[in-house]
Amino acid sequence: MRNYVLYNQDQPVARFSVETGVIASYAPTRPELLPMQIHAASPEGFTLWLQNRAMDLSSFQHRQLAQALVGSRDKISVALLTHMFSISDTFTCFATDEPFVSRSQLCLPDQQNRVSDFILVSNDTSLRLARISSPNASTDGSFTKTWRFENNHWWLYKLQSADATRSEYEISRALRKAGFDAAEYRMDHSRKTRIRTRNFVGEDEFFEPYESLRYMFKDLSDSDDVIYANLASLGETFEHAWRRILLSDALFMNTDRHMRNFGGIRSARTGELKRLAPNFDNNQAYKANPGNHYSSGMLNAFRAAYGLTQADRDELRALLSACEERAYMQDAVEVGTDFLKQVKEN
């Protein structure tokens, strides 16, 4: 059995032990600084949280990376051997017989960029010998992803179809132009199947997906109505931010707003829930939606479920105005304009 300490920044927040690759015990010491999912979790509950931090091993590049980094494709092993590091939050872990290493020293940009080269071009075979701890090992999701440090910022690269890349990029531009809180995306013009997004988590903050954040509420259901009520209970600012995400999802027909691609931004120092995370992950929306059919169906569903306030109409018009500037977004302009016309006539 080996004993570990879980840290938030430099603060010990929990202890756990591992025996033959299984979490044998888990005990919080600073629950207010822990993700909601593991405030008072069992070893099994902590295991689920830990596994969700590991890379998605359905991707060939990620499986190769795991093998090259730590010689294993077991999610728990990968997470522990890379100290559970992630760019998007502030947690790390170390065995009690290991010295604590600060996050700034644990993940050096030059070393991390070597790992991203492995993911993007698969030409580096020396990673395991280099003993690099990589935040890639904490990048979950069904698309191949990798962090790179460029121009003093962390960027998450994602490999996907050309349609997904173009839709995600154009949606991001429209949202930001209209004044919505949205992650910044940029296309890699050398390859139409790559897109990158700037890290939206500030210093001393961490992102907590709703899948974990929901444990702060009494009702943990994944029902749309329950999610809306839970977020609205946090106050008008949170309700407005969530309503904007739902409205933009409706316009751009994003059916992939699952519980890991939205959430909250929390303080790593106090545990305070500061705000809702910006709108991100729209790579299966608009012309890249899985059904390959774009319509006003989700706008009508939004209206039926949540009503359509004057503020909603004004914000939808602002989005359509932003879309008008981009030839690629003209279908959204037509669909959104027709929807508003029908609402007015009814």
Side-chain angles (χ1 to χ4, degrees):
M1 182 179 295
R2 196 174 190 191
N3 297 316
Y4 289 82
V5 177
L6 179 67
Y7 291 85
N8 186 342
Q9 297 282 51
D10 57 352
Q11 298 295 312
V13 292
R15 294 181 175 274
F16 63 97
S17 62
V18 179
E19 186 172 12
T20 61
V22 176
I23 304 297
S25 67
Y26 168 73
T29 56
R30 295 284 304 276
E32 72 278 10
L33 297 182
L34 287 167
M36 299 297 180
Q37 186 176 352
I38 56 172
H39 267 205
S42 65
E44 292 78 13
F46 178 70
T47 298
L48 291 175
W49 176 80
L50 185 155
Q51 289 176 328
N52 280 332
R53 296 173 54 78
M55 70 180 74
D56 183 89
L57 296 178
S58 63
S59 159
F60 172 77
Q61 288 96 329
H62 283 175
R63 291 197 300 272
Q64 293 294 99
L65 175 64
Q67 192 67 42
L69 280 173
V70 298
S72 174
R73 296 179 181 179
D74 174 73
K75 284 193 171 186
I76 292 179
S77 298
V78 171
L80 295 178
L81 290 168
T82 55
H83 301 289
M84 215 184 292
F85 189 102
S86 174
I87 291 294
S88 61
D89 67 30
T90 47
F91 296 96
T92 54
C93 71
F94 293 89
T96 53
D97 57 358
E98 295 177 310
F100 171 79
V101 180
S102 68
R103 288 173 54 83
S104 62
Q105 293 301 309
L106 187 61
C107 180
L108 301 177
D110 287 347
Q111 289 187 340
Q112 170 54 28
N113 286 353
R114 284 183 59 192
V115 175
S116 67
D117 287 343
F118 182 96
I119 287 290
L120 295 174
V121 296
S122 300
N123 65 355
D124 189 340
T125 59
S126 62
L127 290 178
R128 189 174 181 188
L129 293 177
R131 298 180 180 275
I132 296 172
S133 292
S134 164
N136 286 276
S138 302
T139 302
D140 191 23
S142 55
F143 291 87
T144 301
K145 304 173 188 175
T146 180
W147 288 98
R148 287 187 65 81
F149 191 75
E150 298 174 339
N151 300 321
N152 296 315
H153 293 285
W154 284 104
W155 294 84
L156 183 64
Y157 275 77
K158 184 162 53 175
L159 306 182
Q160 55 192 17
S161 72
D163 284 342
T165 293
R166 183 69 185 273
S167 291
E168 191 156 46
Y169 170 72
E170 297 286 1
I171 290 170
S172 170
R173 285 180 61 94
L175 290 171
R176 292 168 66 85
K177 178 73 174 179
F180 284 39
D181 187 16
E184 177 185 356
Y185 283 84
R186 295 186 185 178
M187 292 180 67
D188 182 346
H189 292 288
S190 64
R191 300 193 182 184
K192 294 182 180 180
T193 56
R194 289 183 188 173
I195 195 167
R196 59 178 176 151
T197 179
R198 189 197 298 262
N199 179 31
F200 53 73
V201 180
E203 187 176 358
D204 290 334
E205 294 180 342
F206 66 93
F207 168 68
E208 183 168 359
Y210 185 79
E211 184 175 71
S212 172
L213 196 67
R214 61 179 169 154
Y215 285 84
M216 70 183 293
F217 304 106
K218 290 183 179 180
D219 194 332
L220 307 182
S221 166
D222 62 356
S223 160
D224 291 341
D225 290 343
V226 169
I227 293 172
Y228 189 99
N230 283 346
L231 294 177
S233 73
L234 298 174
E236 183 178 349
T237 300
F238 284 87
E239 181 179 9
H240 182 218
W242 180 234
R243 197 172 181 93
R244 275 184 157 185
I245 290 175
L246 293 175
L247 181 63
S248 61
D249 281 352
L251 174 62
F252 299 122
M253 207 169 175
N254 182 8
T255 60
D256 192 42
R257 190 63 63 192
H258 56 77
M259 291 192 294
R260 290 196 64 78
N261 67 11
F262 70 96
I265 304 295
R266 293 180 57 195
S267 166
R269 293 300 176 189
T270 67
E272 172 197 3
L273 179 60
K274 302 174 71 172
R275 61 188 181 278
L276 208 63
N279 188 326
F280 69 97
D281 207 348
N282 290 281
N283 63 334
Q284 296 188 57
Y286 195 44
K287 296 183 180 181
N289 75 80
N292 197 30
H293 174 70
Y294 179 64
S295 73
S296 61
M298 287 185 63
L299 282 170
N300 290 317
F302 174 92
R303 183 187 179 196
Y306 309 111
L308 195 71
T309 67
Q310 186 59 50
D312 294 331
R313 299 182 193 202
D314 291 343
E315 294 194 327
L316 183 54
R317 289 190 185 97
L319 264 181
L320 296 176
S321 178
C323 289
E324 285 177 349
E325 301 179 10
R326 311 289 294 184
Y328 185 81
M329 305 300 285
Q330 291 313 298
D331 287 354
V333 175
E334 292 179 11
V335 164
T337 301
D338 287 347
F339 169 77
L340 286 174
K341 183 180 179 180
Q342 293 172 11
V343 169
K344 185 177 181 179
E345 291 175 350
N346 294 335

